[in-house]
Amino acid sequence: MKFLLASAAAIAIASPAAAQMDMNMPGMQMPARPVAKPKPVLSRRPAVKPKPAPRKRAATPRRARPAAPAPGPVPKPAASADTMPGMDMSPAAPAPGTTPASEPSMSLMPGMEMATPSSPGGADPHADHEMSGMTGMPGMETPDSEVGDAPAPPPPADHAADAVFGAGQMAGPRKMLRHENGGMPAYSVSFNLAEFRVQKGKDAYRWDGEGWFGGDIDRLVVKSEGEGEFRGGIESAEVQALYSRAIDPWFNLQAGVRQDFRPGPARTYATIGIEGIAPYWFEVEGALFLSDKGDLLGRLEGYYDQRITQKLILQPRAELNFAAQNVPANGIGSGLSDAELGLRLRYEIKREFAPYIGVSWERKVGDSARFARARGDRVESTSLVVGIRTWF
């Protein structure tokens, strides 16, 4: 009886302790006991929120510059930090009679890279490669790549067509082919000025054009210019026949004759001049004229095409005439005899056809002005011009 009473007392004492045990069995999670909320403390002064302590940035260790490897055998590489101790990552040898399988890719964990030696002993696989013969990369030059001074080989003389038709029969077509692709003759006719002039008290016209026939080096050039009034006839007109020879890619040397029909008595001049494109694309022309009476004249003119758009072009133009002596019969004074300045705006409907509108100013100077006053002509005039620039 005493034994039963002692056992019941032991069970009664152990039951509250067992109820307080944390039943942390796998898969079992006991709900947490609710925590009593603290009562708010009433205070007249607002609570000061403490400032968080500043976070210190961890210092990033600087990478040390690797030292140059010493010559000699390459030591066995140390174990990588990405591998785990005790893990042998070397591939297992295949069993006899079986085909070795490809190595598995060890990229299961971030940062784990398998470093397998590319050659026995970990030696550099490119150590025995010869790089001296490689000249394709910039900066890699050797004495063998220097350009020599040997003469170029002669052009080939064996033509496939000669084996079929014969060399004599193919000589004519081959000569024609070289002629048409190298020195084929061509021609051009252009009028830089072909205009109607509105002046005070009279309406006038003017032309200035040229045509040529020949090749790239030698040409025959014909130039003509003049002006007149619709009611008074032609005031001045001249024609030049010139031989033109290219002296460089930009300029031509010209020589020939010039014939004047008006004003005054007709004169013939020996002509020599130059024509071409100056730097910044200025079209320039200069010439000297020696008459059959011994009169020496000179002319300098030029213009520039300033493209505003692909079809709208503004062209300033200037022309100056000189004389070495007075020529009263033609109304020409020594020195600068007359000057003309013009500004024309044209619109290229086509490259070969471009109408324009502009203004032109002319002035006689020195003795030329005195001769003009004696004849009752104007010394200075300003004209509104409308014309067409064309070529074919």
Side-chain angles (χ1 to χ4, degrees):
M1 188 66 178
K2 292 181 181 180
F3 176 77
L4 294 176
L5 293 175
S7 298
I11 293 173
I13 296 172
S15 296
Q20 301 296 326
M21 294 178 63
D22 186 11
M23 306 300 290
N24 293 329
M25 296 181 65
M28 296 181 64
Q29 185 174 359
M30 301 300 294
R33 179 180 294 179
V35 180
K37 296 182 179 180
K39 295 182 179 181
V41 180
L42 300 178
S43 177
R44 295 182 179 179
R45 299 179 61 183
V48 179
K49 187 177 181 180
K51 296 183 179 179
R55 297 174 61 185
K56 294 185 178 180
R57 186 177 181 181
T60 304
R62 301 180 63 182
R63 294 184 179 179
R65 186 175 182 180
V74 180
K76 185 177 181 181
S80 174
D82 296 333
T83 60
M84 299 178 64
M87 294 181 64
D88 186 10
M89 308 302 292
S90 59
T98 60
T99 303
S102 59
E103 297 181 3
S105 176
M106 302 300 295
S107 59
L108 300 178
M109 297 179 65
M112 293 184 62
E113 297 181 358
M114 292 297 297
T116 58
S118 58
S119 60
D124 186 4
H126 305 288
D128 298 332
H129 288 189
E130 179 64 31
M131 306 296 289
S132 60
M134 297 181 63
T135 58
M137 298 179 64
M140 299 183 63
E141 297 181 358
T142 62
D144 297 339
S145 63
E146 295 180 358
V147 179
D149 55 355
D158 52 337
H159 303 283
D162 295 347
V164 180
F165 301 99
Q169 188 174 355
M170 291 300 301
R174 193 171 293 116
K175 181 180 179 181
M176 181 182 299
L177 183 65
R178 288 194 299 266
H179 174 72
E180 292 182 353
N181 287 272
M184 181 178 63
Y187 71 91
S188 174
V189 178
S190 63
F191 283 89
N192 189 40
L193 300 179
E195 60 192 26
F196 171 76
R197 295 187 163 196
V198 180
Q199 299 177 352
K200 185 178 179 180
K202 62 177 181 180
D203 297 332
Y205 56 88
R206 185 182 178 186
W207 76 90
D208 183 0
E210 70 174 58
W212 59 266
F213 175 83
D216 298 332
I217 306 298
D218 302 307
R219 294 177 180 179
L220 173 64
V221 181
V222 177
K223 299 181 180 181
S224 177
E225 67 175 271
E227 59 183 347
E229 298 180 11
F230 284 101
R231 297 180 181 180
I234 297 177
E235 294 182 354
S236 64
E238 68 178 54
V239 176
Q240 301 181 40
L242 308 171
Y243 164 73
S244 179
R245 172 79 177 183
I247 56 178
D248 65 9
W250 309 106
F251 285 93
N252 298 326
L253 182 64
Q254 299 175 343
V257 295
R258 164 187 163 184
Q259 179 66 43
D260 284 4
F261 300 98
R262 291 179 182 273
R267 295 286 175 90
T268 303
Y269 299 85
T271 304
I272 184 171
I274 191 171
E275 181 182 27
I277 302 176
Y280 302 99
W281 299 98
F282 283 89
E283 297 275 353
V284 295
E285 179 180 353
L288 293 175
F289 310 100
L290 180 63
S291 72
D292 53 356
K293 302 296 182 179
D295 303 326
L296 181 61
L297 308 178
R299 178 180 298 162
L300 180 64
E301 60 181 307
Y303 61 88
Y304 177 75
D305 285 346
Q306 175 63 56
R307 290 191 173 271
I308 301 174
T309 66
Q310 289 294 327
K311 292 183 174 292
L312 195 63
I313 298 99
L314 182 66
Q315 184 191 87
R317 187 178 184 277
E319 179 179 338
L320 304 175
N321 289 283
F322 305 88
Q325 63 284 315
N326 290 333
V327 187
N330 293 338
I332 300 175
S334 60
L336 178 62
S337 59
D338 62 84
E340 177 188 358
L341 300 177
L343 187 65
R344 295 167 175 83
L345 181 66
R346 72 174 184 267
Y347 182 81
E348 291 185 346
I349 300 175
K350 295 177 62 177
R351 294 292 185 184
E352 302 87 353
F353 185 82
Y356 64 84
I357 186 172
V359 62
S360 176
W361 174 82
E362 297 181 16
R363 168 76 181 184
K364 296 183 181 297
V365 183
D367 291 337
S368 297
R370 181 169 58 86
F371 294 150
R373 294 189 187 97
R375 295 194 306 266
D377 296 337
R378 294 181 179 178
V379 175
E380 181 179 353
S381 63
T382 303
S383 306
L384 178 66
V385 298
V386 179
I388 296 173
R389 185 180 188 269
T390 182
W391 60 272
F392 56 89

